[in-house]
Amino acid sequence: MAARWRPRPPQDGGRKWRGGASGRPRRLLFLFKMAAPAASPSFLGLGPGSRDPAAARRRSRGPRNRKKGWKRWAGPEARLGREIGDFLEDVVLQQRATGGLIAEQPDEGLFFVDTGNAEKDRQLNKGKEKPLHADLVLQPDSKVPAPKNILAHQIPNGRKERRRREFWEKQAEKGVLPRAERRLRARLRRRGGPAEKNPEKPPEKGRSDPARGFYDIWAADNPLDRVLAGQDGWFLQQTKKQRVKRPARLQTKPSQVPAVEVIAAGGSYNPAFEDHQALLLRAHEEEVRKKRAEDKVERQLKIPDGAELPTAETVFQEQCEGLLEESGDEEDGEEPAEPPDAPKTAPRREKKTEQQRRREKEARALAARQRREKAARCRRQELFRLRQLRRQVKGWEAELLRRRQARLAKRRAKDALPRRLGRLRYEEPGPEVQLSDELAESLRRLKPEGSVLRDRFKSLQKRNLIEPRERAKFKRRYRLKYVEKRAFREVT
């Protein structure tokens, strides 16, 4: 915000400050005399907002009968004060930046002749060339790059040609050349060209060379690991030079189902009669199963025979249940409650005599002695049952082995089946079958059955690679609104 000049009373003991005869203060006249040289053509403004007061555009005065015309600084005095303030600010800025007015300084103070050595400056700057300030000003300040001219970069098959050129450049580094280049070099060698006169060392065989031998990268004698032989394992692991050991769980497939299953023999384009009939029977059983499921749902939702259908009166009565109080319930509620039954006292037990306690103690000791004797007698009898015990142990081991094998077979059968990975279960697609009269006599008249895309999608679900999915249902956000257009209304 630019500072504005305001007349202040002089600091001379509190004497009142008065203006001249024309109503303009003496200090204003003094500053106006100082600003007079600024109107000369030799005045140079240093600030971005500095301007020549003489060339200032005179603004029109507003009407005095409105409030904005009552302002104190709306007249020519205010405009003169603003011009003088701008001039003083520019003078102070020039004195602070250049030590005086630019118009009064000689040419040697404003310009200089560059007599430096460019090579020496580059060495001092460590090879970095500092751009000129004029070039830095012209550079864009925005972080968003300028849009490219796509039409100037469009070349027919430009991306394909660029990829081909980069590919052959990489192959040339490995020593593999394109076929045309190889034929050209072979022709020069046959003719005794410069390649034969100046024989060079043959290039090493690259990884893409077809004449290069094959080896197993996971084998123990991998040639790529010979360089790392004898080095510390921890160092190789930290420097990422040694391959990470592949976990055993990644070696197993999520399902033992093959990627491409062979269909039944009845699905061939020229099947045997028995195979085609077996496929038709399978499709018939699938349709019967679907029909039974639909009939079961209809049977469960069907109203039983002989049941009384609901009427408007019964529906109204069912809706009013619990809302209306009957008189019988009120009468039952007025009956006094009966007092609760008194608690029953437990019967008193008579105290045992010393003779009864002694007899009970002797009976317990006799029962314990009889149990110990029976256990010892059973252990002695077990010696004569060794053969029977051996047969029982063998029977138990055979039963455990049978159960283990059954569990293993059940687990393998379960692994072959698709697992439940999501909300839905996997549904086996129906067999693709053609009727007897639809079979083609030749491959030219054969009609495709099913979809390859759907078959691959179902195969991924069956092999537990993706979860079973269903087509997303379209849900309309807003209800359709039918509007009769004016043109149609005029015609009808």
Side-chain angles (χ1 to χ4, degrees):
M1 180 176 179
R4 298 181 179 180
W5 176 83
R6 294 176 181 269
R8 293 183 299 175
Q11 306 294 337
D12 51 356
R15 290 181 297 174
K16 294 184 178 180
W17 174 79
R18 297 180 180 179
S22 60
R24 188 173 299 173
R26 299 176 181 177
R27 188 176 180 182
L28 181 61
L29 294 176
F30 174 73
L31 291 175
F32 180 74
K33 292 179 179 180
M34 290 180 58
S40 61
S42 61
F43 176 75
L44 297 176
L46 185 62
S50 59
R51 58 186 183 274
D52 191 357
R57 187 177 181 182
R58 182 171 181 176
R59 293 180 298 178
S60 60
R61 290 177 51 186
R64 291 298 183 93
N65 59 349
R66 295 192 179 184
K67 191 172 183 179
K68 65 180 182 180
W70 301 350
K71 293 182 180 180
R72 183 177 181 182
W73 301 101
E77 297 86 356
R79 183 166 58 256
L80 180 61
R82 285 193 295 271
E83 294 174 357
I84 294 174
D86 296 343
F87 167 74
L88 294 179
E89 289 181 2
D90 191 75
V91 169
V92 172
L93 180 61
Q94 293 183 21
Q95 292 178 353
R96 185 187 306 165
T98 61
L101 295 179
I102 297 178
E104 299 176 357
Q105 291 190 4
D107 296 342
E108 291 78 6
L110 298 177
F111 307 98
F112 68 96
V113 180
D114 187 4
T115 59
N117 190 357
E119 186 67 24
K120 185 177 180 180
D121 295 342
R122 190 180 297 106
Q123 294 178 0
L124 294 177
N125 296 332
K126 297 181 180 181
K128 298 180 180 179
E129 295 183 359
K130 184 179 179 181
L132 298 177
H133 181 70
D135 298 337
L136 294 177
V137 171
L138 295 178
Q139 291 182 359
D141 298 335
S142 176
K143 299 295 182 181
V144 180
K148 297 182 179 180
N149 187 6
I150 303 177
L151 299 178
H153 299 277
Q154 285 184 350
I155 303 175
N157 297 331
R159 184 178 300 178
K160 182 178 179 181
E161 295 294 337
R162 179 171 54 83
R163 290 179 179 176
R164 181 183 300 175
R165 184 170 58 256
E166 294 176 356
F167 171 77
W168 283 115
E169 287 177 359
K170 295 180 180 179
Q171 295 296 325
E173 295 176 359
K174 301 175 183 178
V176 181
L177 301 176
R179 182 170 178 269
E181 185 69 19
R182 292 198 303 269
R183 294 182 61 182
L184 178 59
R185 294 194 177 188
R187 188 185 307 165
L188 293 176
R189 284 196 299 268
R190 287 194 301 269
R191 295 181 180 179
E196 187 176 351
K197 296 180 181 179
N198 299 326
E200 299 178 357
K201 183 180 179 180
E204 299 181 359
K205 296 182 179 180
R207 296 185 178 181
S208 301
D209 190 4
R212 183 170 170 267
F214 295 94
Y215 57 88
D216 187 7
I217 61 176
W218 304 109
D221 55 347
N222 185 4
L224 299 179
D225 296 340
R226 295 173 185 172
V227 185
L228 308 178
Q231 299 186 14
D232 186 18
W234 176 258
F235 169 75
L236 297 177
Q237 182 180 358
Q238 295 299 322
T239 55
K240 308 297 183 182
K241 294 183 179 180
Q242 189 177 12
R243 293 184 179 89
V244 181
K245 185 178 180 180
R246 188 177 180 88
R249 58 181 178 82
L250 297 181
Q251 302 291 347
T252 59
K253 295 182 179 180
S255 178
Q256 301 301 328
V257 180
V260 180
E261 299 183 63
V262 182
I263 62 174
S268 175
Y269 78 97
N270 188 17
F273 178 76
E274 294 79 5
D275 299 337
H276 189 256
Q277 292 299 319
L279 184 62
L280 289 177
L281 179 60
R282 178 185 169 189
H284 173 70
E285 293 176 353
E286 184 72 19
E287 294 297 330
V288 169
R289 186 184 61 82
K290 292 182 181 179
K291 187 66 171 60
R292 286 178 180 176
E294 295 176 0
D295 294 345
K296 182 179 179 180
V297 175
E298 292 181 0
R299 188 167 55 254
Q300 291 176 351
L301 299 178
K302 183 181 177 181
I303 299 176
D305 298 337
E308 184 179 357
L309 298 178
T311 59
E313 183 178 357
T314 56
V315 171
F316 178 75
Q317 184 178 1
E318 182 180 357
Q319 293 177 352
C320 295
E321 285 291 339
L323 299 178
L324 302 177
E325 297 181 358
E326 299 181 359
S327 58
D329 298 341
E330 297 177 357
E331 295 177 358
D332 296 342
E334 295 177 358
E335 296 180 359
E338 298 180 358
D341 298 338
K344 298 180 180 180
T345 57
R348 296 182 59 184
R349 299 176 60 182
E350 297 180 0
K351 187 177 181 181
K352 295 181 181 181
T353 60
E354 292 293 334
Q355 184 179 8
Q356 291 177 349
R357 296 179 184 276
R358 178 171 48 81
R359 288 178 180 178
E360 291 180 358
K361 185 176 181 180
E362 292 176 356
R364 289 195 298 271
L366 179 61
R369 186 173 63 255
Q370 290 177 356
R371 286 195 299 270
R372 288 194 298 271
E373 292 176 356
K374 184 178 180 180
R377 189 167 56 252
C378 290
R379 284 195 297 269
R380 288 193 298 270
Q381 292 293 333
E382 291 292 339
L383 296 176
F384 304 99
R385 297 180 60 247
L386 291 179
R387 295 182 180 179
Q388 183 181 0
L389 293 177
R390 190 180 294 109
R391 287 194 299 268
Q392 290 181 0
V393 171
K394 289 183 179 180
W396 291 342
E397 291 179 354
E399 181 65 19
L400 292 178
L401 180 60
R402 187 190 63 81
R403 292 182 180 179
R404 189 181 301 110
Q405 293 178 355
R407 287 196 302 269
L408 183 59
K410 184 177 180 180
R411 189 180 299 112
R412 290 179 179 175
K414 188 177 181 180
D415 292 342
L417 297 176
R419 293 192 293 251
R420 185 167 183 176
L421 303 179
R423 180 176 56 89
L424 304 176
R425 294 182 181 272
Y426 173 75
E427 295 183 0
E428 190 73 24
E432 300 174 358
V433 61
Q434 292 182 351
L435 301 180
S436 301
D437 54 351
E438 295 178 353
L439 292 176
E441 299 178 357
S442 62
L443 289 176
R444 291 185 176 182
R445 299 182 180 180
L446 182 64
K447 296 181 180 180
E449 189 73 20
S451 172
V452 178
L453 182 61
R454 179 176 177 82
D455 179 71
R456 292 296 88 206
F457 186 68
K458 282 292 183 180
S459 176
L460 293 176
Q461 294 180 358
K462 190 174 183 179
R463 288 183 288 154
N464 302 323
L465 297 179
I466 60 175
E467 71 280 2
R469 306 172 186 178
E470 63 180 359
R471 191 176 183 87
K473 298 180 180 179
F474 174 73
K475 185 177 181 181
R476 193 178 299 279
R477 185 174 182 182
Y478 300 104
R479 185 169 55 87
L480 286 178
K481 182 179 180 181
Y482 294 94
V483 180
E484 185 178 358
K485 292 187 176 181
R486 185 182 304 174
F488 178 78
R489 192 185 309 121
E490 292 177 356
V491 172
T492 57

